[in-house]
Amino acid sequence: MLKKRIIVCLDVKDGRTTKGVKFQNNIDIGDPVQMAREYYKQGVDELVFYDIIASARGRGPILDLISRVASEVFIPFCVGGGIGSVDDIRSTILAGAEKVSLNSQAVLKPELIKEGAAIFGNQCIVLGMDAAKDEAMPSGYRVYINGGRVKTDLDALEWAKKAVDLGAGEIVLNSMDADGTKDGYEINLTRMIAENVSVPVIASGGGGTPEHLAQALTEGKADAALIATMVHSGQYTVGAIKESLKNQGVPVRL
């Protein structure tokens, strides 16, 4: 049986790690380089680094910071935020990332998924999707961009399928309704996307306890769970979460 992955997310703003609830009221919680080093020591499977204001400000990725984080971790490292061209993808990978996450820029320029996958391989191209409940959409969920600030006309399920057809090798699926609440993942949304695409789906938004992760990885059919607040707060270590998942019968890398 394939092992489930635990991924820590560092949301970065102006070079510092930040955390908010439902994309609001972000506070500074530390230095991303030091935090990356600590989570690597704790045994995290992968690290995701999002520059949460790059797209809104119309600038590219902060390559210096990416390379400093990459020098501290020897696990898959995914970077998102402001990656709007093939050159941005190339420079981000050269700075030390194994994968790039395309979110707002993928919506604005879907051909970027296709071009990136053709040049660097599907495994390098991750679709980042921020979705929120909306009864007006066929699936019941609408896609948002620019860090949740701008609503689109895209239905979450249709966009996920289209992005995979274009070449996305993985989807990080973030529930805006659950983001930062620590009340549990959006299981309905996660399962719906996971059942309808052929690539790994990473559940994001709402993880507060190891039981929440177990639910997303089993009922939600996610291949991995992304966490932030529950480890940033110091309430849990990555090791403690993995031990709990193992005890709940979820296969993880210890």
Side-chain angles (χ1 to χ4, degrees):
M1 194 172 182
L2 273 179
K3 299 274 169 74
K4 302 287 189 176
R5 291 172 287 150
I6 306 303
I7 302 172
V8 168
C9 177
L10 301 175
D11 285 335
V12 176
K13 179 181 178 183
D14 299 325
R16 300 282 294 174
T17 308
T18 180
K19 197 69 199 101
V21 176
K22 298 187 180 181
F23 288 49
Q24 304 288 322
N25 306 319
N26 284 68
I27 55 167
D28 182 317
I29 56 169
D31 172 47
V33 180
Q34 289 177 355
M35 291 173 78
R37 185 189 306 132
E38 174 57 28
Y39 294 131
Y40 174 63
K41 277 194 209 154
Q42 286 183 21
V44 75
D45 297 309
E46 294 187 24
L47 201 65
V48 174
F49 172 112
Y50 287 134
D51 188 325
I52 61 170
I53 52 171
S55 286
R57 289 187 179 170
R59 64 158 169 75
I62 309 173
L63 300 174
D64 165 59
L65 188 55
I66 292 164
S67 101
R68 283 165 55 216
V69 171
S71 70
E72 297 287 346
V73 299
F74 304 94
I75 48 175
F77 174 39
C78 178
V79 172
I83 298 170
S85 68
V86 167
D87 284 344
D88 285 341
I89 296 174
R90 183 178 288 109
S91 58
T92 301
I93 291 170
L94 288 172
E98 277 80 16
K99 307 177 189 180
V100 296
S101 177
L102 305 177
N103 187 321
S104 306
Q105 298 298 328
V107 169
L108 300 171
K109 295 183 273 194
E111 68 277 6
L112 184 59
I113 301 174
K114 195 170 189 176
E115 291 168 14
I119 296 168
F120 305 101
N122 304 67
Q123 79 288 347
C124 284
I125 307 299
V126 177
L127 177 73
M129 189 199 309
D130 295 318
K133 285 179 187 164
D134 189 331
E135 289 177 5
M137 306 310 283
S139 71
Y141 297 88
R142 183 187 294 272
V143 175
Y144 285 71
I145 60 171
N146 286 3
R149 297 175 189 85
V150 177
K151 72 155 117 179
T152 73
D153 293 328
L154 293 173
D155 175 76
L157 180 56
E158 289 309 308
W159 176 229
K161 290 177 176 174
K162 182 180 177 184
V164 172
D165 286 344
L166 286 167
E170 192 165 67
I171 296 174
V172 174
L173 177 61
N174 190 45
S175 162
M176 291 173 60
D177 302 301
D179 182 77
T181 63
K182 299 196 288 181
D183 291 336
Y185 295 89
E186 223 319 352
I187 299 300
N188 179 53
L189 172 65
T190 306
R191 183 171 52 231
M192 175 179 65
I193 303 292
E195 285 180 341
N196 283 282
V197 297
S198 56
V199 301
V201 171
I202 299 163
S204 172
T209 68
E211 288 70 30
H212 291 155
L213 276 80
Q215 189 183 25
L217 296 167
T218 54
E219 286 175 53
K221 303 196 173 176
D223 296 87
L226 188 139
I227 53 176
T229 309
M230 63 189 291
V231 284
H232 296 340
S233 66
Q235 188 177 3
Y236 294 95
T237 63
V238 174
I241 293 167
K242 286 188 170 186
E243 197 62 42
S244 175
L245 287 171
K246 186 190 86 164
N247 292 337
Q248 292 178 72
V250 179
V252 290
R253 296 185 186 95
L254 291 171

